């Protein structure tokens, strides 16, 4: 009798959870679950050689190369490379691959290879770790960090972002230095749903997993390390003999002051046209991508990286 009551209660709770469809227990379709997989160091990373379609503000196609970057296959040779490091603005959310500013720059910079090293949802902390991972494979001559001023500071100040995805973060030590935390990165609930048959098919298991993850790995907030992270990226890039510059999407007065004080070349990207409704946040339109490409080209030219002339000026 007792066993029967327990079973009936569990069945009733399972039905209730399915009907209620609580957001915390759903298998949400997000930019981190489309062609992406768990990464113990970075939190998530695109699956190498994956392809697919994303419907956000627009319906677009994507294809990742063997590095997990949304780009053609890369080969290391004598031609120097400009690497653009960033999040969904570099990955190109809501844009076809050939509409992105990185693709528009390729014919204008014939002396360089262009590599868009962007992963949707990344903060500056994850971008720093990705840069270090990719460096031996790409060895860029120039690194351009694209900072998303609308959310990067929040990304950099927490161990959990977006749909409760766990990520690495840097804590500030008493001496002011940064210490990498959350390594290996804990598995997020979404990963259990995707990878575990029981959690995927039984909502009671989803509820139990949700409670476990929240109690075992609670959300944390740390002092904003953004400027220090930018300094660490600059130090790493210049130590390896390359040049460094920063582009700021939207605007960030504090970061602008930091870059100017430290003589780091800067291109302001605020005001470039973007989609204002739908999708996963505002991202550049084709016209915005062209505007961004032109601004970056001007800064590269002003800093002696790109040469002026017909190739540099053509659209």
């Amino acid at each position: 009798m007792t066993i029967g009551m327990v079973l009936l209660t569990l069945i009733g709770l399972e039905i209730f959870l399915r009907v209620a469809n609580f957001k915390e227990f759903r298998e949400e379709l997000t930019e981190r679950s489309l062609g992406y997989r768990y990464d113990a160091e970075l939190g998530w990373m695109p699956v190498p050689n994956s392809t697919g379609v994303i419907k956000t503000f627009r319906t677009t196609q994507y294809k990742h190369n063997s590095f997990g970057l949304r780009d053609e296959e890369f080969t290391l040779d004598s031609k120097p490379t400009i690497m653009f490091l960033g999040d969904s603005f570099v990955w190109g959310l809501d844009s076809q691959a050939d509409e992105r500013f990185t693709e528009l720059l390729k014919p204008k910079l014939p002396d360089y290879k262009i590599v868009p090293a962007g992963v949707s949802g990344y903060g500056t902390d994850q971008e720093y770790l990705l840069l270090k991972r990719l460096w031996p494979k790409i060895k860029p001559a120039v690194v351009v960090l694209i900072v998303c001023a609308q959310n990067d500071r929040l990304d950099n100040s927490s161990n959990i972002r977006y749909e409760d995805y766990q990520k690495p973060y840097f804590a500030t030590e008493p001496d002011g230095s940064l210490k990498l935390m959350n390594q290996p990165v804990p598995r997020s609930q979404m990963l259990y749903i995707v990878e575990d048959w029981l959690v995927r098919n039984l909502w009671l298991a989803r509820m139990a997993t949700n409670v476990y993850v929240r109690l075992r790995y609670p959300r944390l907030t740390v002092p904003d390390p953004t400027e220090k992270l930018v300094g660490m990226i600059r130090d790493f890039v210049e130590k390896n003999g390359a040049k460094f510059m920063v582009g700021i999407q939207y605007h960030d007065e504090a970061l602008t002051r930091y870059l100017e004080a430290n003589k780091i070349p800067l291109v302001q990207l605020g005001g470039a046209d973007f989609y204002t409704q739908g999708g996963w946040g505002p991202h550049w339109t084709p016209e915005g991508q062209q505007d961004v490409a032109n601004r970056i080209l001007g800064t590269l030219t002003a800093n002696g990286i790109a040469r002026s002339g017909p190739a540099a000026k053509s659209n």
Side-chain angles (χ1 to χ4, degrees):
M1 186 70 172
T2 303
I3 295 177
M5 289 296 295
V6 170
L7 288 175
L8 285 174
T9 300
L10 292 176
I11 291 172
L13 183 55
E14 175 73 16
I15 294 172
F16 169 75
L17 291 173
R18 289 175 178 268
V19 173
N21 194 28
F22 293 113
K23 183 177 181 180
E24 293 82 357
F25 307 149
R26 295 178 197 161
E27 182 178 355
E28 292 279 87
L29 193 63
T30 76
E31 57 187 303
R32 281 155 294 284
S33 61
L34 289 166
Y36 285 35
R37 68 182 180 190
Y38 168 73
D39 188 290
E41 180 188 23
L42 300 170
W44 59 90
M45 186 69 191
V47 176
N49 303 309
S50 59
T51 61
V53 175
I54 297 180
K55 182 174 177 57
T56 52
F57 187 89
R58 301 169 62 198
T59 298
T60 54
Q61 293 76 39
Y62 68 83
K63 180 179 181 180
H64 297 118
N65 64 17
S66 61
F67 293 167
L69 303 180
R70 191 186 182 195
D71 195 22
E72 60 191 9
E73 198 59 38
F74 179 84
T75 54
L76 185 62
D77 54 31
S78 60
K79 193 172 185 178
T81 297
I82 300 176
M83 175 192 286
F84 288 89
L85 188 65
D87 58 10
S88 55
F89 281 89
V90 174
W91 189 88
L93 198 63
D94 281 325
S95 293
Q96 298 290 8
D98 61 358
E99 295 174 332
R100 298 172 300 168
F101 72 90
T102 48
E103 292 298 313
L104 300 176
L105 282 171
K106 287 181 178 180
K108 300 179 181 183
L109 296 168
D111 298 332
Y112 290 92
K113 292 183 177 182
I114 306 294
V115 172
V119 179
S120 289
Y122 269 17
T124 317
D125 43 14
Q126 292 164 293
E127 292 156 8
Y128 169 64
L129 298 174
L130 177 63
L131 172 67
K132 294 180 70 175
R133 176 184 293 185
L134 292 175
W135 195 276
K137 303 174 183 178
I138 297 177
K139 297 181 179 178
V142 181
V143 173
V144 183
L145 173 68
I146 303 298
V147 175
C148 178
Q150 291 175 302
N151 57 34
D152 273 356
R153 289 190 181 275
L154 293 174
D155 294 340
N156 300 335
S157 302
S158 181
N159 64 324
I160 298 175
R161 286 293 283 151
Y162 305 104
E163 302 80 17
D164 292 329
Y165 273 84
Q166 293 275 346
K167 59 178 287 293
Y169 67 96
F170 284 84
T172 303
E173 296 286 83
D175 64 357
S177 63
L178 296 184
K179 181 180 180 180
L180 178 60
M181 307 293 288
N182 233 23
Q183 296 284 296
V185 176
R187 303 178 81 82
S188 305
Q189 176 184 295
M190 190 66 66
L191 294 167
Y192 286 98
I193 294 175
V194 171
E195 299 176 359
D196 188 286
W197 183 92
L198 184 65
V199 179
R200 184 168 62 253
N201 292 281
L202 193 65
W203 280 63
L204 283 169
R206 294 191 184 193
M207 182 177 70
T209 301
N210 180 274
V211 172
Y212 165 76
V213 171
R214 288 178 182 276
L215 292 177
R216 181 68 177 84
Y217 306 107
R219 186 181 299 272
L220 302 173
T221 300
V222 298
D224 178 15
T226 299
E227 279 78 11
K228 290 182 180 179
L229 287 168
V230 173
M232 287 169 59
I233 294 175
R234 178 195 190 177
D235 291 345
F236 178 83
V237 169
E238 294 184 349
K239 180 181 178 181
N240 283 280
K243 296 181 178 181
F244 178 63
M245 61 178 282
V246 174
I248 299 180
Q249 172 272 344
Y250 199 54
H251 60 81
D252 187 316
E253 294 180 4
L255 182 57
T256 297
R257 290 194 299 270
Y258 170 85
L259 297 172
E260 291 174 347
N262 287 274
K263 296 181 172 55
I264 298 175
L266 164 66
V267 52
Q268 297 283 4
L269 304 176
D273 190 52
F274 58 84
Y275 298 107
T276 58
Q277 297 179 347
W280 290 322
H283 289 86
W284 292 318
T285 64
E287 294 76 18
Q289 296 278 4
Q290 182 67 69
D291 185 5
V292 167
N294 290 336
R295 296 192 207 185
I296 290 175
L297 180 63
T299 302
L300 290 171
T301 303
N303 285 274
I305 296 170
R307 57 186 174 86
S308 58
K313 295 179 180 177
S314 63
N315 290 324

